[in-house]
Amino acid sequence: MSIIRPADPDEVTGLAAQLYEEDLEDLGYVPAHTRVMATNPDAVRAYEALIGAISSGLGARRYELVTLAAAKAIGSNACRLAHGRKSLSLFDEDKLERIARDHHDAGLSHAEVELMDFAAKLSTDGSASMTDDDTLRLRSVGFTDREIVDIALAASARNYYSRALHALSVEVDVPSGLSTRLREALTVPEAPRADANYS
């Protein structure tokens, strides 16, 4: 549980209050990640502007595929579940479940599989070994230079947000509208804690 003590909806003011209100209108409640991150609402708005600049060129479908792949590689259930809900506007539930379980066996295009592989590699320790070959794979399936940059930015931005939630021990919210089957497909098994006692 996070040590951050965010304001309750009836106490919050200013820009943070706007962030709360937007989630109340969209979700009917204010999730834990908004409550914690709204401690610095200007940073939230800057992040939203960055995402807008990336996704406007990449398109919603590709942006969400990058996000789902990166969040899975990071092990961020908060982001997987939140973006699983958003992705239901782009994919039917069966398709989204297949993507969540294994994007290599989900009937995606070759370009989309490469995009998700790239995002996953960038979001693991493998990012340090990335070379021109990784970006050339994206170019070989038809992505433009702008799209390649946006794919890298989208995955990197997900790393920023997801890892901040991890660092602040933000509770995972389960948004409404997800079936049990889809929720299970989107949930990444927890990795052992670094401080676990194995003796």
Side-chain angles (χ1 to χ4, degrees):
M1 184 173 185
S2 180
I3 65 165
I4 307 300
R5 295 185 176 88
D8 290 328
D10 58 350
E11 299 173 336
V12 71
T13 60
L15 181 53
Q18 292 179 28
L19 297 173
Y20 276 42
E21 184 58 33
E22 288 165 9
D23 275 356
L24 284 169
E25 290 179 5
D26 181 35
L27 300 170
Y29 70 102
V30 183
H33 63 265
T34 295
R35 290 174 181 255
V36 170
M37 298 302 257
T39 303
N40 185 343
D42 291 316
V44 175
R45 282 296 192 233
Y47 176 74
E48 290 174 344
L50 173 63
I51 296 304
I54 296 167
S55 61
S56 63
L58 199 55
R61 179 183 172 106
R62 288 175 172 175
Y63 173 76
E64 292 300 337
L65 289 174
V66 169
T67 298
L68 290 170
K72 183 176 185 178
I74 298 163
S76 175
N77 286 328
C79 292
R80 286 270 289 179
L81 291 165
H83 283 272
R85 175 185 175 272
K86 291 181 179 181
S87 294
L88 281 172
S89 65
L90 303 167
F91 306 98
D92 64 45
E93 184 172 313
D94 288 342
K95 179 81 165 181
L96 183 56
E97 181 187 354
R98 291 177 64 195
I99 293 168
R101 293 192 186 281
D102 181 2
H103 66 269
H104 297 99
D105 186 31
L108 295 173
S109 70
H110 183 49
E112 290 171 333
V113 170
E114 290 290 348
L115 169 150
M116 294 187 77
D117 283 347
F118 181 93
K121 185 173 183 179
L122 185 151
S123 305
T124 65
D125 291 342
S127 64
S129 66
M130 294 182 85
T131 67
D132 287 351
D133 287 342
D134 294 289
T135 50
L136 286 171
R137 287 176 68 91
L138 294 179
R139 180 172 288 163
S140 73
V141 294
F143 289 111
T144 65
D145 284 358
R146 168 62 190 267
E147 289 168 335
I148 292 169
V149 169
D150 284 345
I151 291 165
L153 288 173
S156 298
R158 182 53 41 198
N159 275 259
Y160 155 76
Y161 199 86
S162 294
R163 294 182 191 280
L165 297 184
H166 283 169
L168 297 169
S169 298
V170 177
E171 295 177 26
V172 175
D173 286 292
V174 179
S176 62
L178 298 179
S179 68
T180 300
R181 191 181 69 187
L182 182 56
R183 186 172 66 246
E184 290 174 352
L186 289 163
T187 302
V188 180
E190 288 188 19
R193 289 173 54 91
D195 58 354
N197 183 353
Y198 294 104
S199 60

